[in-house]
Amino acid sequence: MVDYVRAQERRTGWFLTIPALLVLALVFAYPILRAFWQSFFTINLGNQLTPAFNGLGNYIRMAQDGRFWNTLWNTTIFTVATVSLELVLGMGIALVLNQSFKGRGIVRTIAILPWALPTALIALAWTWIFNDQYGVVNDLLLRLGLISTGINWLGDPTLAMISVIIADVWKTTPFISILLLAGLQSIPGDLYEAQAIDGASPWQSFRQVTLPLLLPQIVIALLFRLAQAFGIFDLISVMTGGGPGGGTETVSLYIYSTVMRYLDFGYGAALVVVTFLLLVLVVAIATFFLNRSRKRASGAV
């Protein structure tokens, strides 16, 4: 009887899940499969209206494309820098917001505002903040006597990359902090009391209790942010447009330029496929560590 009920529940679960799976297939799977198919053809509306099969020609072209490797390098730098900084800062903010103090609810609401604001609007604001003539950053540095003339933040490749990293960290750190805060609130307070009775310092409690039990939330946050940062488009598009000299051009911007500006749909599809496979690899690695972290957390409890 129990087995029959469980079988019925499984069938009901699949029946309720099928509509969502169909939507995912239409919205997600179909575009990827179509891009995979188009990546084997030469489809350039600028000079060739009829698709022509060229096998692995687009992928061979990609392997020899210096601009692609430069955008991949820029994307990697941006992703590693932003995710690392957001994790450290998000952890600190989450630890503060997890404490009991007057007005905590208001502070939590204010802390999430940067992430809730539209990215294009935030990018435009940061463009003015880093403006070499009227920007707040140069004004503060001049007043403090740290510089004698305005710095062209968005006109130098290295400084432009630093600028977009700062803007993204400011906007997205609240997302990390909220996820980690949810994990902190699920940790029983008795564990910290037991640590205090044993004479453990706050750092020891953080290392021996907080981090092991918070590791699943950390991996989930990293999983989300790695995917988002690797596919960054809007913030960099508004702030620098990928410039100067391709110094901040990411893979997403290169795909957009290839498809929308040069109308090279075949090569653009190959870029999409490779980017998708890289993201799948990142997700697979993150999932592996997530499963390990859950086992360790279960053992710690």
Side-chain angles (χ1 to χ4, degrees):
M1 183 64 181
V2 175
D3 294 338
Y4 174 77
V5 172
R6 290 179 178 176
Q8 285 289 99
E9 290 178 349
R10 282 195 295 267
R11 283 194 293 268
T12 302
W14 277 109
F15 179 76
L16 296 176
T17 307
I18 287 176
L21 294 176
L22 292 176
V23 172
L24 286 176
L26 291 174
V27 175
F28 181 75
Y30 173 74
I32 292 297
L33 293 176
R34 183 170 177 80
F36 181 76
W37 172 256
Q38 289 182 338
S39 67
F40 295 106
F41 291 83
T42 299
I43 309 175
N44 193 326
L45 300 185
N47 53 30
Q48 181 179 341
L49 297 179
T50 304
F53 181 78
N54 67 350
L56 298 176
N58 287 323
Y59 294 97
I60 296 174
R61 173 185 168 186
M62 190 187 309
Q64 302 171 349
D65 188 356
R67 183 177 176 182
F68 165 72
W69 292 108
N70 181 66
T71 58
L72 184 61
W73 174 249
N74 291 338
T75 305
T76 303
I77 292 177
F78 178 86
T79 301
V80 172
T82 55
V83 173
S84 301
L85 290 173
E86 288 163 7
L87 179 61
V88 174
L89 295 176
M91 176 67 74
I93 295 173
L95 290 172
V96 172
L97 296 179
N98 192 46
Q99 304 301 316
S100 297
F101 56 89
K102 187 176 181 179
R104 182 175 63 174
I106 298 177
V107 174
R108 288 180 177 179
T109 303
I110 296 175
I112 198 64
L113 284 179
W115 181 67
L117 293 173
T119 304
L121 178 63
I122 294 301
L124 186 60
W126 278 100
T127 301
W128 281 102
I129 290 174
F130 284 111
N131 186 275
D132 58 333
Q133 297 181 4
Y134 312 107
V136 175
V137 174
N138 279 341
D139 183 63
L140 290 176
L141 295 178
L142 287 170
R143 291 175 182 271
L144 294 174
L146 298 178
I147 59 176
S148 59
T149 183
I151 299 175
N152 189 5
W153 291 93
L154 302 180
D156 178 82
T158 302
L159 295 179
M161 177 61 74
I162 294 174
S163 300
V164 296
I165 288 174
I166 292 174
D168 187 77
V169 168
W170 181 86
K171 173 175 173 52
T172 319
T173 296
F175 174 77
I176 300 290
S177 64
I178 291 300
L179 289 179
L180 298 183
L181 178 60
L184 287 173
Q185 292 181 331
S186 66
I187 299 177
D190 296 342
L191 297 177
Y192 294 106
E193 294 177 1
Q195 286 284 102
I197 293 175
D198 292 338
S201 64
W203 168 249
Q204 289 175 327
S205 297
F206 175 78
R207 184 170 54 86
Q208 298 173 3
V209 176
T210 304
L211 276 183
L213 297 182
L214 198 60
L215 200 55
Q217 284 76 21
I218 293 175
V219 177
I220 291 174
L222 289 178
L223 181 62
F224 276 104
R225 281 303 300 140
L226 284 173
Q228 292 174 348
F230 197 85
I232 186 69
F233 175 82
D234 45 4
L235 184 138
I236 296 180
S237 178
V238 173
M239 287 189 65
T240 64
T248 59
E249 186 179 35
T250 59
V251 175
S252 297
L253 286 170
Y254 185 32
I255 293 174
Y256 176 83
S257 178
T258 301
V259 175
M260 303 304 295
R261 179 178 299 177
Y262 303 111
L263 302 179
D264 195 346
F265 292 93
Y267 188 54
L271 292 171
V272 170
V273 170
V274 171
T275 304
F276 171 74
L277 293 178
L278 289 174
L279 284 176
V280 169
L281 178 62
V282 172
V283 169
I285 295 174
T287 303
F288 171 76
F289 285 107
L290 174 60
N291 292 331
R292 291 186 57 182
S293 66
R294 285 176 174 173
K295 294 179 181 178
R296 291 179 179 178
S298 299
V301 175

